Amino acid sequence: MNEIKRPEQKQQIEKYINKSLNIKILTGIDVLEVAQLLNSNVSNLSYVDCEVWYLSKQHNLTLLTGDKNLRLQATKDNIEVRGILFLFDEMIEQNCITQKYAYDKLFCSVKQISDYLKRKSKNA
């Protein structure tokens, strides 16, 4: 929670902590295990990536990520990995958002990625 700087985001998350969101505090042994993963990985994963990889493995949890390297590494460890489309499907299923809202946001994201790739190819 300390890394969340915007008060409105912190308020949104705090609503779920006592309901269904569990926060895991790493023990010293956990930190050592994560450090070993960090030192042994060949995918250039960050420390935080290694933390979520470790916790997913230890607690048999589905890992939510859009990071290709993390997804590949976790899959090698037989960890179930899901991405943004899964989250949109779940939010629609739980009536948190409408299909139209999901479509609009995904369309906007695809357009931003497309624009980014066009700019990148021009600079190459």
Side-chain angles (χ1 to χ4, degrees), residues 69-115:
N69 290 336
L70 178 55
R71 178 178 47 81
L72 292 172
Q73 194 64 52
T75 302
K76 286 180 190 175
D77 266 350
N78 297 316
I79 297 169
E80 182 180 8
V81 180
R82 301 293 183 123
I84 190 72
L85 295 178
F86 169 79
L87 292 177
F88 272 95
D89 285 344
E90 286 297 306
M91 288 187 287
I92 292 167
E93 183 74 25
Q94 299 296 322
N95 294 316
C96 296
I97 61 173
T98 65
Q99 286 182 343
K100 171 134 179 40
Y101 182 84
Y103 171 83
D104 291 345
K105 292 300 178 185
L106 287 170
F107 183 80
C108 181
S109 295
V110 169
K111 180 161 178 14
Q112 288 174 342
I113 291 168
S114 176
D115 292 346

Side-chain angles (χ1 to χ4, degrees), residues 39-96:
N39 290 330
S40 69
N41 87 77
V42 292
S43 302
N44 294 322
L45 298 177
S46 70
Y47 182 84
V48 173
D49 289 340
C50 290
E51 279 183 337
V52 295
W53 172 22
Y54 170 78
L55 289 170
S56 295
K57 188 175 179 176
Q58 290 299 101
H59 299 282
N60 195 30
L61 301 169
T62 300
L63 179 59
L64 298 172
T65 185
D67 185 275
K68 178 183 174 185
N69 290 336
L70 178 55
R71 178 178 47 81
L72 292 172
Q73 194 64 52
T75 302
K76 286 180 190 175
D77 266 350
N78 297 316
I79 297 169
E80 182 180 8
V81 180
R82 301 293 183 123
I84 190 72
L85 295 178
F86 169 79
L87 292 177
F88 272 95
D89 285 344
E90 286 297 306
M91 288 187 287
I92 292 167
E93 183 74 25
Q94 299 296 322
N95 294 316
C96 296

